[in-house]
């Protein structure tokens, strides 16, 4: 028991350090732009609620949560439809319910409900016959396709990417034959290659197939190395000294700095030492969660942990790669550092389930 408590410090101390850096970065952001005036206050409330949820983790009725996951999934799909009808539009995306002081994004909650339901579905599925595997893969395809279409209409490309990662992690962890996984990878690779071939050599045909709106959305993604966001993010990272605390000074303005570019903003506040500390903290948290995944015996939780880990670590890698300009900008925040109530609360709900003693 004592050893277990000592080991858990390698999770909670890095978590608190990331949260502290996040709040200090939010305080700095309000000096850069009045748009970020209340971010630090809101984020502190999200963190306080999140920590309170972690205190209640051992009271979770996990069996009931997984058993009700299909209803949660259906309700979340309803919210995704509702947000398209009556949601608020922000920066061209109709993806939020504005609730006075706070906003709620159903596409973020779908990550959790999708993980829960696919884990439950996979644990209940039989894989004794070939037709069972085909039936299972078809179910997973439909379950992922419905929210992906709804989120695509918002549009929120980043969320769709994580829905696919969740499904991939659970399929890989399941008893499904690896031949089907190879087949899926092959088909996806061929379709991707055909898409890019059409994009570079036959744009007129591609526009007729996917439409002008979607084509220009893809075009903006692929031309990600141009624009004020990435240019100023690279300046913030490239000009940062090893250590230079600039908490109450006006720094480099980066559009969406507290959300998508919080990593670059951290360098602008603390210098490169801030980024190094963040990387160490994420590494320790990842290692702790991987250890939990390895020690998990229950199948449902194994699937759930697998999908969360792939999503969580991919999220870190993609956001940092986006900040240094080597992947397209897709509105993917850095977990537990970037500003955002929906994202922050969903990650704490994930951690609440994973950290519960089985």
């Amino acid at each position: 028991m004592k050893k277990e408590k000592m080991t858990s410090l390698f999770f909670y101390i890095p978590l608190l350090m990331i949260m502290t850096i996040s709040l200090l970065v939010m305080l700095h952001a309000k000096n850069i732009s009045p748009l970020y005036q209340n971010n630090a206050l809101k984020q502190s409330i999200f963190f306080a609620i999140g920590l309170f949820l972690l205190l209640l983790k051992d009271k979770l009725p996990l069996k009931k949560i997984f058993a009700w996951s299909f209803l949660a999934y259906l309700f979340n799909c309803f919210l995704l439809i509702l947000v398209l009808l009556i949601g608020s539009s922000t920066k061209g995306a109709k993806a939020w319910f504005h609730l006075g002081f706070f906003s709620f994004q159903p596409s973020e909650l779908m990550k959790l409900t999708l993980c829960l339901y696919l884990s439950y579905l996979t644990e209940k599925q039989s894989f004794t016959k070939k037709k069972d595997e085909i039936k299972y893969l078809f179910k997973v395809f439909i379950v992922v396709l419905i929210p992906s279409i709804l989120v695509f209409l918002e549009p929120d490309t980043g969320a769709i990417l994580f829905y696919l990662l969740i499904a991939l992690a659970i399929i890989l962890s399941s008893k499904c034959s690896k031949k089907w996984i190879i087949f899926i990878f092959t088909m996806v690779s061929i379709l991707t290659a055909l898409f890019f071939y059409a994009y570079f050599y036959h744009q007129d045909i591609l526009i007729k197939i996917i439409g002008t709106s979607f084509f220009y959305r893809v075009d903006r993604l692929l031309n990600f190395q141009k624009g004020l966001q990435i240019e100023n993010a690279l300046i913030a990272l490239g000009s940062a000294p090893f250590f230079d605390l600039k908490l109450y000074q006006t720094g480099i303005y980066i559009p969406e700095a507290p959300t998508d570019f919080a990593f670059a903003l951290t360098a602008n506040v603390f210098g490169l030492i801030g980024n190094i500390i963040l990387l160490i903290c994420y590494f320790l948290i990842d290692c702790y969660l991987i250890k939990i995944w390895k020690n998990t015996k229950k199948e449902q939780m194994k699937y759930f942990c697998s999908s969360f880990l792939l999503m969580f670590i991919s999220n870190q890698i993609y956001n940092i790669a986006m900040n240094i300009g080597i992947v397209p900008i897709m509105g993917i925040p850095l977990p537990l550092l970037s500003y955002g109530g929906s994202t922050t609360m969903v990650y704490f709900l994930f951690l609440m389930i994973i950290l519960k003693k089985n």
Side-chain angles (χ1 to χ4, degrees):
M1 183 66 71
K2 187 175 180 181
K3 185 179 179 182
E4 185 180 333
K5 288 182 178 179
M6 287 295 293
T7 306
S8 66
L9 292 177
F10 287 97
F11 170 79
Y12 287 103
I13 290 176
L15 176 65
L16 292 172
M17 289 181 71
I18 291 173
M19 289 163 52
T20 302
I21 291 171
S22 175
L23 293 177
L24 291 174
V25 165
M26 299 306 147
L27 285 172
H28 173 74
K30 72 177 185 179
N31 298 321
I32 298 175
S33 171
L35 293 171
Y36 313 138
Q37 188 67 33
N38 296 317
N39 286 6
L41 173 61
K42 290 181 181 179
Q43 193 75 346
S44 64
I45 294 172
F46 302 145
F47 284 154
I49 297 171
L51 291 173
F52 179 71
L53 289 175
L54 292 186
L55 290 175
L56 299 176
K57 65 183 185 299
D58 293 328
K59 299 184 182 297
L60 274 180
L62 277 186
K63 287 184 179 179
K64 290 183 179 180
I65 289 172
F66 280 105
W68 296 339
S69 60
F70 180 61
L71 292 177
Y73 168 80
L74 288 179
F75 180 69
N76 210 156
C77 287
F78 169 73
L79 290 179
L80 289 174
I81 295 170
L82 197 63
V83 80
L84 290 172
L85 297 174
I86 63 171
S88 301
S89 183
T90 305
K91 297 180 178 66
K94 202 169 186 180
W96 288 268
F97 292 115
H98 285 299
L99 309 170
F101 194 59
F102 301 103
S103 297
F104 169 63
Q105 192 174 3
S107 60
E108 288 297 317
L109 183 61
M110 179 53 77
K111 295 174 184 176
L112 177 64
T113 53
L114 193 62
C115 267
L116 286 168
Y117 180 55
L118 287 180
S119 298
Y120 177 79
L121 180 71
T122 305
E123 195 266 341
K124 296 294 181 183
Q125 178 68 42
S126 170
F127 294 96
T128 55
K129 299 177 182 178
K130 187 177 179 180
K131 66 177 183 180
D132 292 335
E133 295 181 342
I134 296 172
K135 187 178 178 181
Y136 166 71
L137 291 172
F138 180 74
K139 285 180 183 176
V140 171
F141 174 74
I142 295 299
V143 168
V144 175
L145 180 65
I146 293 170
S148 296
I149 291 173
L150 294 172
V151 169
F152 176 79
L153 295 173
E154 293 181 358
D156 185 356
T157 315
I160 297 172
L161 175 65
F162 289 112
Y163 298 165
L164 295 175
L165 284 174
I166 288 167
L168 174 64
I170 291 178
I171 292 171
L172 287 171
S173 302
S174 73
K175 298 171 185 176
C176 188
S177 172
K178 299 302 179 277
K179 291 179 181 179
W180 288 109
I181 297 167
I182 294 169
F183 173 75
I184 293 169
F185 268 112
T186 303
M187 292 303 297
V188 169
S189 299
I190 291 171
L191 290 172
T192 304
L194 288 172
F195 178 85
F196 281 107
Y197 175 76
Y199 174 81
F200 288 110
Y201 299 107
H202 298 284
Q203 291 188 355
D204 53 336
I205 297 174
L206 187 61
I207 290 172
K208 288 180 182 178
I209 296 172
I210 66 174
T212 306
S213 177
F214 183 54
F215 175 82
Y216 283 114
R217 198 189 304 174
V218 172
D219 191 55
R220 285 197 300 272
L221 282 175
L222 295 179
N223 289 287
F224 62 91
Q225 291 181 324
K226 299 175 183 178
L228 183 64
Q229 275 185 317
I230 190 60
E231 288 175 3
N232 283 15
L234 291 173
I235 290 170
L237 287 164
S239 62
F242 183 75
F243 175 77
D244 183 20
L245 183 61
K246 293 186 290 188
L247 185 57
Y248 299 106
Q249 300 175 34
T250 301
I252 298 168
Y253 174 71
I254 307 169
E256 307 302 325
T259 52
D260 302 345
F261 289 90
F263 187 75
L265 189 60
T266 300
N268 198 213
V269 179
F270 294 98
L272 294 178
I273 187 65
N275 296 120
I276 293 169
I277 291 171
L278 278 177
L279 292 174
I280 293 170
C281 288
Y282 280 118
F283 176 76
L284 292 173
I285 290 173
D286 293 343
C287 288
Y288 184 78
L289 294 176
I290 289 170
K291 183 181 177 182
I292 290 177
W293 167 70
K294 285 183 176 180
N295 294 333
T296 300
K297 305 299 181 186
K298 295 179 181 178
E299 279 193 8
Q300 282 182 341
M301 281 304 298
K302 197 82 171 178
Y303 299 141
F304 185 83
C305 291
S306 298
S307 56
F308 173 73
L309 272 172
L310 182 59
M311 181 184 69
F312 187 62
I313 295 172
S314 298
N315 201 330
Q316 297 164 36
I317 293 170
Y318 195 95
N319 178 273
I320 293 169
M322 187 175 74
N323 273 241
I324 60 178
I326 60 176
V327 295
I329 298 168
M330 288 211 303
I332 295 174
L334 191 55
L336 305 171
L337 179 79
S338 296
Y339 171 76
S342 300
T343 306
T344 301
M345 295 314 304
V346 166
Y347 273 115
F348 272 110
L349 288 170
F350 266 111
L351 292 172
M352 187 184 184
I353 294 171
I354 290 171
L355 295 174
K356 176 180 166 56
K357 293 178 181 178
N358 297 318

